[in-house]
Every structure is written in structure tokens, then in C-alpha cells.
Amino acid sequence: MNPQLWNLLVNALGETLYMVGVSLALSAVFGIPLGVLLVITGPGHIRPNRAIHGTLAALINIGRSLPFIILLVAIIPFTRLLVGTSIGTNGAIVPLTVSAIPFLARLVESALLEVDRGVIEAAQAMGATTGQIIGKVLLAEAKSGLLLGLTITAVSLVGYSAMAGAVGGGGLGDLAIRFGYQRFQPEVMLATVIVLVILVQGVQSLGDWGARRLKRR
């Protein structure tokens, strides 16, 4: 590839990292509390509430059942309302975040349900409050699983961000469509695929390494 295309590839990688990073942070802000609330309101847990649990579970299932490309188009008015545009990296962050929140919430639920109930019951017997149980027992005991959940979400967001490029979302997917497909430049497509593979491998390896370290503590 010529130097100009290399610069485009570097810029596209930066846009992808920006989209994935911001979307992951926002999905963690909303997805982790949602997963915690789903667990503690479940049957037999520390704050069982059938109505809240059933409503949350239904909303999460609805969110997860929508294919990303359909969600991307369906919420264009909402995206424009929030960021003023539905194209470019900022326009892609909204659907990426909306799609990642229910996905991450389910991963958080799975991680928290792995926490030994005996530890929770011991904390309750010692008079711990709900907040203390969530912060010092559930989240503390499940931190390795939570990191793996965030890693899986980040890898999924990399794939979704490439898909957003098909409708002008910017990033590596946009570069692959515009130059690799529409302008018939296979070297650009190949370079984009290689960068995406390296990026996913790097994120997954880093997450696995961090989770192993947290588990040993």
C-alpha cells in the first residue's frame, strides 16, 4: 500500500479504538448496575422482587434479540437526538453502547451468580447492608469473571464497529468498505482484516491475563 493508504489505515484504527473504548466505558456504567440489579432481585437472592426482576429480564432479552445492523438503523432518531448525527464515529457510539448494555448485563449476571452463596449468607449473618454485600462480596468475589465479561464485550464491540462502517460509521469497517470493496483494492481489505485480527487477539489476551491475575489474589 502507498503511504496515503497507510495513513488512512492508522486513522481508521484510531477511530475504531475511540468507538470501542467510549462504548465499552458507557456500557460498563449502565450494564454492570443493570446486571447487579438483575441478580439481587432474583428468586432467593438478597432483595428478591419478581416484578423488577421480570421486567429487567424481559428488557434485556429484547435488547439482545435485535441484530446490530437493524438496531443501528432503528434508533437513528434517538442517535441524532443525543449526538446530533447518525454517521461518523460519534454517531456509531450510540448504537454500539445500546447493543452492548444488555449483552454485558447478562455477562455480569453470570459472573455474580458464580459467587458462593455461603459467603453471601455469612455477610448477611454479620449484619452487612445491601450495599456492602454488593460492593464487598458480590463484585469483589466476581471481579475475575467481570473482567472476562468486559473483555468479551470489547471483542464484540470491535466486530460491531466494523459493521457500523457499512453505513458510514467510520473506523476500519468503513475503510474496508470504501477502499477494499467499492474501489476494488484487495490489499486494503487484507490489511484491514489483519489489523482487526491482531486487535481482537490483543484485547482477548490482555483480558485473559488480567483475569488470571485477579483470580490468584
Side-chain angles (χ1 to χ4, degrees), residues 12 15-16 19 68-69 72 86-89 91-93 95-96 157-179 181-182 192 196:
E15 289 176 352
T16 294
M19 285 189 288
F68 177 70
I69 194 69
L72 182 68
S86 61
I87 59 174
T89 53
I93 285 173
L96 285 172
L157 284 171
V158 171
Y160 289 161
S161 71
M163 203 182 303
V167 291
L172 291 167
D174 185 49
L175 181 68
I177 293 294
R178 285 191 295 118
F179 287 85
Y181 177 68
Q182 295 176 345
T192 304
L196 283 171

Side-chain angles (χ1 to χ4, degrees), residues 33-45:
L34 191 59
V36 170
L37 192 57
L38 186 66
V39 169
I40 65 173
T41 56
H45 219 279

Side-chain angles (χ1 to χ4, degrees), residues 80-94:
R80 285 178 177 159
L81 180 66
L82 285 184
V83 297
T85 179
S86 61
I87 59 174
T89 53
N90 289 329
I93 285 173
V94 176

Side-chain angles (χ1 to χ4, degrees), residues 41-129:
T41 56
H45 219 279
I46 58 176
R47 283 292 181 270
N49 187 307
R50 182 178 295 179
I52 294 177
H53 181 79
T55 302
L56 288 178
L59 290 174
I60 289 172
N61 288 341
I62 291 171
R64 292 190 60 199
S65 64
L66 293 176
F68 177 70
I69 194 69
I70 294 176
L71 176 72
L72 182 68
V73 176
I75 66 168
I76 282 178
F78 179 65
T79 302
R80 285 178 177 159
L81 180 66
L82 285 184
V83 297
T85 179
S86 61
I87 59 174
T89 53
N90 289 329
I93 285 173
V94 176
L96 285 172
T97 303
V98 171
S99 69
I101 288 174
F103 181 73
L104 179 59
R106 281 296 184 195
L107 294 176
V108 170
E109 179 195 23
S110 298
L112 296 184
L113 289 176
E114 293 294 322
V115 176
D116 189 348
R117 293 300 297 268
V119 180
I120 299 172
E121 290 169 0
Q124 287 178 306
M126 288 187 289
T129 64

Side-chain angles (χ1 to χ4, degrees), residues 24 103-104 107 145-158 203-204 207-208:
L24 182 64
F103 181 73
L104 179 59
L107 294 176
L146 292 174
L147 182 56
L148 283 176
L150 286 169
T151 302
I152 294 170
T153 304
V155 170
S156 298
L157 284 171
V158 171
V203 170
Q204 187 64 59
D208 291 343

